């Protein structure tokens, strides 16, 4: 993706960097100001996320498994004069980061690449300060279960919900599948109890949850937007680290 110039790896534009929070926080979950706050961009290499949060005044650390993606972050930071820390590691192992060291944790879609999300959430909780905001986006379970081509009744469910093995790739690539599944990627379905419940059990209070809308009523048949009219592809969750950093108590609060 880094070598091919994938859209996720393209630097932010001058216009976006001039008003970065309007790009990354349209819902206003960050309160309109992150200046001086320690921000972790988790599994978010590629030069885009880190530069936007740095432009907003955040003290940014970016973690990614890919050295090539992190090199893009280094290049953009050098070009823009941003101060940036980078760490090449997996989501499950943040041992290179200190306990309770971040005010904001940003986690784009990536949990689908790990077989078990519980260790990921535990590590995020460990590095989060009391009261820290954790914003994550995940693939909807039903989206991973469903077909990529429409039949007479819609998009059928093809794969089981209770599963430990990866979700099979599409039988053949389509415009929709190419938007939803990276070629060659191994992806796992995580149930709602593992996503929402897992975040709560790690010691967070969930404050909001939205499903970004990608549906279009006039979308062409079998397109990404057409499928999104039947199945929301993603869910975005805002959570706050509990003040008690000892024994985590499961909590769910939807405002």
């Amino acid at each position: 993706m880094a070598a091919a110039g994938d859209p996720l790896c393209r630097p932010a534009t001058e216009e976006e960097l001039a008003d970065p929070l309007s790009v990354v926080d349209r819902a206003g979950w960050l309160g309109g100001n992150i200046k001086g706050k320690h921000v972790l961009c988790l599994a978010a290499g590629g030069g885009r996320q880190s530069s936007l949060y740095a432009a907003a005044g955040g003290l940014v650390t970016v973690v990614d498994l890919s050295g090539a993606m992190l090199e893009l972050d280094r290049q953009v930071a050098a070009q823009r004069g941003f101060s940036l820390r980078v760490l090449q590691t997996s989501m499950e192992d943040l041992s290179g980061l200190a306990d309770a060291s971040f005010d904001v944790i940003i986690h784009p879609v990536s949990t689908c690449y790990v077989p078990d999300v519980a260790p990921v959430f535990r590590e995020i909780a460990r590095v989060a300060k009391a009261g820290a905001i954790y914003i994550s986006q995940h693939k909807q379970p039903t989206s991973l279960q469903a077909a990529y081509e429409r039949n007479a009744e819609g998009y059928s469910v093809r794969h089981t919900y209770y599963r430990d093995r990866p979700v099979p790739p599409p039988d053949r690539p389509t415009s929709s599948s190419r938007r939803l599944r990276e070629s060659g990627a191994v992806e796992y379905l995580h149930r709602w109890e593992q996503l929402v419940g897992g975040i709560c059990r790690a010691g967070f209070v969930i404050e909001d949850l939205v499903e970004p809308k990608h549906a279009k009523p006039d979308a062409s048949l079998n397109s990404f937007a057409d499928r999104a009219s039947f199945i929301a592809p993603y869910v975005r969750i805002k959570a706050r680290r509990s003040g008690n950093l000892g024994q985590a108590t499961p909590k769910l609060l939807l405002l």
Side-chain angles (χ1 to χ4, degrees), residues 10-21 24 34-36 39 41 46-62 70-86:
R10 294 174 188 168
T13 64
E14 295 288 344
E15 183 180 4
E16 290 172 327
L17 290 170
D19 189 9
L21 287 185
V24 296
I34 62 167
K35 290 181 180 178
V39 179
C41 293
R48 180 173 175 80
Q49 297 276 340
S50 62
S51 62
L52 286 165
Y53 286 100
L59 307 175
V60 177
T61 298
V62 58
L70 291 174
E71 181 57 31
L72 293 175
D73 290 280
R74 292 189 186 95
Q75 291 174 9
V76 173
Q79 292 165 2
R80 296 285 179 178
F82 296 140
S83 179
L84 189 70
R85 290 196 306 164
V86 300

Side-chain angles (χ1 to χ4, degrees), residues 121-142:
F121 295 147
R122 284 197 297 268
E123 277 289 81
I124 292 167
R126 181 184 64 77
V127 302
K129 295 180 181 180
I133 295 174
Y134 171 41
I135 297 175
S136 58
Q137 187 159 299
H138 311 269
K139 293 193 175 182
Q140 293 257 15
T142 305

Side-chain angles (χ1 to χ4, degrees), residues 148-149 170 172-180 222-223:
Y148 294 96
E149 295 182 82
R172 67 183 187 90
T174 66
S175 62
S176 179
S177 72
R178 281 190 286 267
R179 283 284 304 271
L180 291 161
N222 292 325
S223 66

Side-chain angles (χ1 to χ4, degrees), residues 86-209:
V86 300
L87 176 64
Q88 184 175 356
T89 187
S90 69
M91 289 177 276
E92 304 102 318
D93 179 13
L94 303 180
S95 57
L97 302 175
D99 294 356
S101 52
F102 292 98
D103 304 289
V104 177
I105 297 159
I106 304 298
H107 194 184
V109 175
S110 58
T111 51
C112 54
Y113 304 124
V114 297
D116 184 4
V117 290
V120 177
F121 295 147
R122 284 197 297 268
E123 277 289 81
I124 292 167
R126 181 184 64 77
V127 302
K129 295 180 181 180
I133 295 174
Y134 171 41
I135 297 175
S136 58
Q137 187 159 299
H138 311 269
K139 293 193 175 182
Q140 293 257 15
T142 305
S143 184
L144 284 165
Q145 289 179 273
Y148 294 96
E149 295 182 82
R150 201 208 290 193
N151 57 30
E153 298 179 351
Y155 292 86
S156 61
V157 173
R158 298 190 58 194
H159 307 300
T160 58
Y161 187 61
Y162 294 91
R163 59 186 306 116
D164 296 320
R165 301 182 63 186
V167 178
D171 296 331
R172 67 183 187 90
T174 66
S175 62
S176 179
S177 72
R178 281 190 286 267
R179 283 284 304 271
L180 291 161
R181 294 285 301 266
E182 289 86 357
S183 178
V186 176
E187 298 192 17
Y188 296 85
L189 179 152
H190 300 302
R191 304 186 302 275
W192 284 114
E193 63 179 304
Q194 295 170 317
L195 294 172
V196 173
I199 291 172
C200 293
R201 286 187 288 272
F204 290 91
V205 176
I206 291 179
E207 295 184 344
D208 206 350
L209 184 154

Side-chain angles (χ1 to χ4, degrees), residues 28-45:
W29 285 354
L30 295 175
N33 187 359
I34 62 167
K35 290 181 180 178
K37 293 185 177 181
H38 292 272
V39 179
L40 172 60
C41 293
L42 181 59

